[in-house]
Amino acid sequence: MATGFPIGDTIAAIATARGRGAIGIVKVSGPDALRILHRLFKPSGGGGSAAAGVNEARRLCHGWIRHPDSGERIDEVLAVWMPGPRSYTGEDVVEIHGHGGGQALTALLEAVLSAGARLAEAGEFTRRALLNGRIDLTQAEAVADLIDARSQRALRIAGRRLEGELGRQVEAMRQELLDVRARIEAEIDFAEQLEEESDLQALGVLIREQMAPRLGRWIAHYDAARGYLEGFKVAVVGRPNVGKSSLINRLAKKERVIVTEIPGTTRDLVEVSVNLGGMPLTFTDTAGLHESRDPVERIGIQRTQRYLDECELVVFMVDAAAGIGAQDLCIGEFLQQRKVLVVFNKMDLVAPGKRPKPPESWARWPVAAISARCDENLDELETLLVQAFEKGEESADDDIVPNLRQRELLSGCLERLNAAAERLEAGGGGELASIELAEAVGCLDQILGRREGSDVMDQVFRRFCIGK
Ligand SMILES: Nc1nc2c(ncn2[C@@H]2O[C@H](COP(=O)(O)OP(=O)(O)OP(=O)(O)O)[C@@H](O)[C@H]2O)c(=O)[nH]1
Ligand SMILES: [Mg+2]
């Protein structure tokens, strides 16, 4: 298999997140990992037993790292050696646990590189684990999905895939498809020899009734969990100056987008991710909807209209102090086919009891009355937002839930299974059905990373961070 990386050299990277932190870890993997540690590490105490500690597998050893060239003391650390093949990568792995913080860790990494390691590429540790047979591609992807998880549910789903269950089920399905294909080929030869009716139709029924529904279920699981995996998309729309950007800043709890008293401030779509009640929501701030002569603003408004199709929910904001005007009614009409939550903003300027009354055509939409500026009633709005996406748990998290890439390949596989079943059941389509099944197996091979060539691998590992 093409890897895109030379394998066999020793790589190193900072494995912990950037920024201030109590502890930071530099990870080293490859045949020279232990030798590199010996060049840098001086165990504390100076006694024989401590020196031996670092040569003892999977035991943390306290000591100091010195620069291999200058001898300068760099950090007080705990070091551990995890010999292959029972390590994350399957190779000899060394971890040096130093103090967190950008400068300390960079100095530590620099010392490791000076002692003979090469800086790892993004995802290279996991890629080595894959190439050394420690994990399969579905597990490698699960590692990235776990790191990127935007909700507790996404975390559980990725954790389940990390155990290898999806890979096992896909592998089993692949074997079944190869068996069915072998039987089709045999039937074709057999029918020629005996000039008898073949049993191809029964195989068509088997594919349609037993194999295709299983794939359909996995795809449905993704679709049901999609919002938790990718984030629910919410567009905030309304007339210019009603307070859309102010609301997004409030929900994000920081000044993410520009707010001014000038109408037409927001011109482009700006996405802001927020986690509300365990639900990952991606809010999009939009340009105010109205007739505009300004060409830049008009482009922004057109983009908003196109973007709405991608959103699961539209927050439709109205200036409660100004009341519901003709433009609001016009936007309301425009949103009729969509899932909408109406937000009356600027309630701080509205006299008690003077809240606007929504027209009949908005009656089925829930309403929240808030003040983004004064932080009023935002809790109520958050509850309504969360409720808008709560559909009950359609799929248990310990079911097979693929990620988006896997889902696309599963749906390609399903299409080919259906085509094969149709040909077989119609009678006489053995050869063509066999080709469809070969392509279906190809889709599953891509899920498992069995296909030659590094493009699939590159696609997967591009998502990784350095140090994983
Ligand atoms: N009194 C009051 N003013 C508010 C409230 N929310 C926003 N504003 C003010 O209204 C003005 C417009 O706010 P923005 O958040 O920029 O409005 P917008 O809808 O994003 O405007 P555009 O991007 O121009 O479409 C600013 O001066 C805000 O401070 C509110 O709840 N009460
Ligand atoms: Mg704005």
Side-chain angles (χ1 to χ4, degrees), residues 109-236:
L109 176 65
E110 205 273 310
V112 170
L113 298 179
S114 299
R118 162 174 73 76
L119 187 63
E121 306 272 345
E124 198 174 358
F125 290 93
T126 307
R127 200 162 182 156
R128 286 185 173 201
L130 178 74
L131 292 170
N132 290 324
R134 294 288 293 168
I135 54 173
D136 68 19
L137 187 62
T138 66
Q139 290 169 299
E141 275 181 281
V143 171
D145 291 339
L146 204 114
I147 292 170
D148 291 342
R150 289 187 55 191
S151 65
Q152 288 294 317
R153 187 157 179 217
L155 191 69
R156 283 196 298 276
I157 287 171
R160 178 87 177 117
R161 258 193 277 121
L162 187 59
E163 289 172 26
E165 191 53 28
L166 176 82
R168 277 191 289 277
Q169 299 268 357
V170 169
E171 181 62 55
M173 171 71 82
R174 181 179 179 277
Q175 280 307 323
E176 284 171 51
L177 286 178
L178 289 174
D179 286 350
V180 171
R181 194 163 168 241
R183 282 166 67 190
I184 293 172
E185 300 283 340
E187 286 287 342
I188 295 170
D189 294 346
F190 189 66
E192 272 173 13
Q193 281 167 23
L194 298 183
E195 291 176 7
E196 275 180 10
E197 272 295 298
S198 75
D199 206 15
L200 291 176
Q201 275 164 338
L203 288 174
V205 174
L206 174 81
I207 293 173
R208 183 169 52 77
E209 288 187 350
Q210 294 190 16
M211 306 182 84
R214 220 184 316 155
L215 284 180
R217 265 199 307 280
W218 297 342
I219 293 167
H221 288 168
Y222 171 84
D223 293 345
R226 189 172 64 111
Y228 288 90
L229 300 174
E230 315 283 332
F232 296 96
K233 286 194 161 185
V234 185
V236 182

Side-chain angles (χ1 to χ4, degrees), residues 356-430:
K357 199 174 163 341
E360 197 56 37
S361 59
W362 302 8
R364 64 182 184 288
W365 296 334
V367 179
I370 65 160
S371 165
R373 180 183 275 174
C374 306
D375 220 342
E376 272 168 31
N377 263 352
L378 289 181
D379 291 354
E380 185 195 323
L381 172 62
E382 289 185 14
T383 308
L384 287 175
L385 283 167
V386 170
Q387 279 171 0
F389 296 110
E390 268 171 352
K391 293 187 235 161
E393 309 274 292
E394 286 100 337
S395 72
D397 291 343
D398 52 355
D399 278 335
I400 299 284
V401 185
N403 66 18
L404 181 58
R405 186 189 80 90
Q406 293 158 344
R407 185 220 181 271
E408 295 305 306
L409 289 164
L410 288 173
S411 100
C413 182
L414 180 59
E415 255 173 52
R416 285 166 183 108
L417 286 198
N418 286 333
E422 208 170 288
R423 291 189 193 283
L424 291 169
E425 288 186 85

